[in-house]
Amino acid sequence: MNRDNDKGKVLIRRSLIMAGCKVFVLLLIIFRLYYLQVYQADKFKMLADENRISTRILIPQRGIIYDRNHKVLATNVQNFQALIVAEQTPNVQETLDAFKRIMPLSAEEEQRIKQDLKRNRSFVPIKVKDNLSWEEVSEIQLNAADLPGIIIDESLNRYYPMGEKTAQVVGYVAAVSEQDRKDDPLLEVPGFKIGKSGIEKYLEHDLRGEGGILKLEVNAYGRVMNEIEETDGVHGKNIVLTLDSRLQEAAYEAFGEESGAAVLLDVHNGEILAFVSTPSFDPNAFSQGLSVTEWNALLEDERHPLTNKVIQGQYSPGSVFKPLVAIAGLESGAIKPDTRFFCAGKMFVGDHPFHCWRRGGHGYLNVVEALKHSCDIYFYETAQKTGIDKIAEVARRFGLGSRVNIGLENEKAGLIPDKEWKLKRFGEPWQVGESLIAGIGQGYVLVTPLQLAMMTARIANGGYAVTPTFFPVPQGKSFEKINVDKKYLDLVKEGMYEVVNGTGGTAWASQFVYKGQRMSGKTGSVQVRRISLKERQSGIIKQKDLPWKYRDHAIFVAYAPADNPKYALAVLAEHGGGGAAVAAPIASKILKTTLELDPSAKKTSFSEQEM
Amino acid sequence: MYKPYETTFKSQKLTIKEKLMNISFCYVLFICVLAAIGITMLYSAANGHWRPWALNQLVRFGAGLGIMLFFAMVDIRILLRYAYVFYFFTLFLLIVVEISGHVGMGAQRWINLGFFKLQPSELMKVALVLALARYFHTRSLQSIESLGGILPGLLLALVPAGLVIVQPDLGTGLMLLFTATAIFFVVGVQLWKFGVVAVGAIIFMPIAWAFLRDYQKDRVLTFLDPERDPLGAGYHIIQSKIALGSGGVFGKGFLKGTQSHLNFLPEKHTDFIFTMLSEEWGMIGAVFVILLNFCIVAYGYSFALKSSSYFGKVVAIGLTTNYFLYVSINTAMVLGLIPVVGIPLPLISYGGTVMLSIMASFGILLSVYINRNIQVGKE
């Protein structure tokens, strides 16, 4: 009985101990609740929001690019695309297979889709196919039951109405690549495109705008339950360029099959009215995505459609350099306005012969006649007496030898050599013969067509330092002078007038008269290969008998109207043959159209146009 | 002749009316409030619909109340008399399940009675307590403290626990073991014996580990490091903590728990219902539920103290401990304090068998209380 009592006492004692333990456990649980729900509540609230809120970035409308007359050069057009959302389908592969039964997908496309799917979280929609027609859209919607995870999305595609004609200026947009800096969350939105070239690239930040934000409540499976809030994005800025699409078109078409470049400037402010590099490429194909074969074809074309020859092509200026040599000679006193040299077809420096392009020689000529006939001997003499450093100094004043920085990628600076450069570059002193070669724009001298146009504009406008630009220049903006005596400029201009309008001028065949207005210009033909002594003796091969890539580059710089210049133009036809034969007719066509349309006369409309 | 079901003193017999008058109404109230909270949460879990869970649960609770009342009316001496019969019958069912489970596909834990799927392992929780209570009721303290005295008791516990673990249902098996351990503890088995078993368990842990199923290993590993598989096994714990924590002090409001309603929280109507409750009603709601459960446990203890029979005391403590284990294991699990084991929160989680077995055990507890003055003989 005693033990029984003990048994009961043990039971009570032990159960009270256990009750204590239970109280302790419950307190522990309450403390844990406090820890999670009070102490760490903020952290978990944030995590819960991260769980439930899916933020989507809304692509803003890209800015529209206009020409000077408000004609559209780049705009956005509606594009239907099929997207796949991985998490909304039980099996991505099955959905894609079902999709392929409706419309074919190439192996390349499927590869890309899978790569995109791998790179992105499962709720991110991935493009399956875009540029769908209405029929295709309805076909997909009809088969929606077999296509879980496929959604139709309406987006905007970039469209370039002028196509290849403006491709080298406006550029194109394309998908963001891995190398692009991810400085904007927009860049991570699949399917977002950024400017990859031209103005599209240069003004990417203005054109892009700011993405809107759409906050959605999603459940654990990624299904959208609610729209929480939508912050509107900001449209990209519209841009007005100085191009005149009519002239752009005329210039592009004037080239026909020729590969080359043309730039047309307003001589008073440097506004670029036309900017053409041929052949070109279709920027619409780029913004829709180019296949590897198409891309390779562009890369391998010997006429380099992807190269912007206006700024990326560096050429010897040839005879179009002669006006500057003349000015340098006049400024240095090496020649006087009435200085005459005798051209016998060739001359010697030491025992090295220098040839005039006309084997029989020109006889006695002054500077104007020398320009008119593009006599090489005259400019050998002038260059020899002037010296390279003075020529270089003048050339630089006219804008050669350094980048214009018009904003397009890979612009080249060209090269204006001088004694110091030669020593630095080759470690050898300058040779007199090299001055002679430079005097006719060959040798080390390299220019871009854009620089030539700027040079011509500076001659034509009486020596004002205008710089080519794609953006409207405010009216009344004053330009610095480049300190060239008007007398000398007038002489050069007279020579250039004679080139086109004087009987026997090298571009005599390309002259025109439009309402009493004429053009002035200067031809240039640039050897691409060295003419050997043997060939000189046996007779120089005719240009048209040479393979294309060995023919001379044809250059022509011009301005019009001759008596009161408004427009300056540089035309380069790669391997076109002679400047007079190929480049001058192109220039003539462009300038004539320009005078007919006279775009700068309507300049006042800019201030009313929004930027 | 030994007749344990006969009273030592005068024959005591309570009328039904007396019994009904003696029911602890406070106790029943706590139970009803908890069940009501549970049904409310199930209503919320279905996004504000009575179906598919809340209505079912209400019906089951009604049935559970009937069962509770039935057991409350049973004389404690009857419970004592049939304790072993009940125990062995349940053990038989467990074996049947085990065998049919091998015959059928995969693990099977229940017997289909047509209208009801009976889980013998749930019944065993009650049966084991009754059997052990009867066993120790008849033992002297000397016998309890001797090795031979506790061996039959150990067998009573280990055989069903082993059967349940191999089902495999580790959670329920462990609960049987814990309940049995608690009973061994309160009846006065020396502490050093527990020490020996604990040391033995630690030594045999690596061996036991080898016997665990892969998903069980996974659960333990995931508990130790939830981040190791955030979308797989660790997902439950992480999402549960996010739901709980984001509820804050006052909660997000009824029907407004984002984590649960957007389905980030798995099993929100069963094992993780406490998480959902804490998300919607905050710490205040959670603590309220804990306190209600504390009251139920405390009343269970008071029943034990008031009972004049050793059998009644052990039954009350055993069943209360069983209930407490449910509550504490479930809450500790959803709070990320212990690994995820499939233990529901009784009265609140959706589930029929647990509801009925728990209500039965409440009925027995009430019976202990009603029969507190009945002398139960043993020798």
Side-chain angles (χ1 to χ4, degrees), chain A residues 12-62:
Chain A
I12 288 169
R13 194 172 64 231
R14 286 279 177 99
S15 30
L16 288 178
I17 291 170
M18 204 164 69
C21 293
K22 286 173 180 165
V23 169
F24 174 76
V25 169
L26 289 180
L27 285 176
L28 194 70
I29 285 169
I30 289 174
F31 174 77
R32 177 72 172 173
L33 276 169
Y34 174 83
Y35 175 74
L36 291 178
Q37 295 196 289
V38 179
Y39 186 72
Q40 290 203 310
D42 290 340
K43 171 185 150 192
F44 286 118
K45 276 174 187 159
M46 204 182 70
L47 287 174
D49 277 348
E50 266 176 32
N51 261 345
R52 80 185 173 98
I53 297 175
S54 160
T55 304
R56 299 203 180 156
I57 295 172
L58 302 173
I59 296 180
Q61 199 172 319
R62 197 170 171 85

Side-chain angles (χ1 to χ4, degrees), chain A residues 188-343:
Chain A
E188 286 170 52
V189 178
F192 185 71
K193 287 173 178 158
I194 58 168
K196 290 280 183 167
S197 127
I199 297 293
E200 292 273 33
K201 183 180 186 180
Y202 181 54
L203 295 181
E204 170 63 25
H205 274 277
D206 291 330
L207 288 165
R208 186 189 294 169
E210 283 164 40
I213 291 170
L214 181 61
K215 281 188 177 168
L216 297 168
E217 184 173 68
V218 294
N219 72 3
Y221 318 111
R223 188 183 301 277
V224 174
M225 310 301 281
N226 267 315
E227 190 174 301
I228 299 172
E229 67 168 312
E230 185 177 345
T231 316
D232 285 334
V234 179
H235 283 350
K237 266 196 223 156
N238 293 340
I239 303 291
V240 174
L241 300 183
T242 58
L243 288 185
D244 184 314
S245 53
R246 300 166 301 177
L247 294 177
Q248 181 77 12
E249 193 164 3
Y252 188 82
E253 275 162 9
F255 273 88
E257 293 294 300
E258 295 289 347
S259 162
V263 207
L264 178 68
L265 301 180
D266 183 320
V267 299
H268 297 301
N269 54 21
E271 287 179 359
I272 298 171
L273 297 159
F275 185 102
V276 164
S277 171
T278 64
S280 185
F281 56 89
D282 180 7
N284 294 311
F286 274 73
S287 67
Q288 279 164 25
L290 214 59
S291 74
V292 178
T293 29
E294 289 171 303
W295 173 249
N296 285 337
L298 283 172
L299 277 184
E300 282 158 19
D301 191 325
E302 66 172 356
R303 291 168 188 243
H304 305 293
L306 295 177
T307 304
N308 190 340
K309 300 181 180 89
V310 179
I311 51 168
Q312 293 165 3
Q314 297 186 103
Y315 309 87
S316 298
S319 301
V320 300
F321 194 56
K322 287 173 181 166
L324 299 189
V325 177
I327 290 169
L330 290 162
E331 277 191 1
S332 68
I335 54 172
K336 296 266 180 296
D338 52 359
T339 303
R340 289 180 175 266
F341 290 119
F342 181 77
C343 167

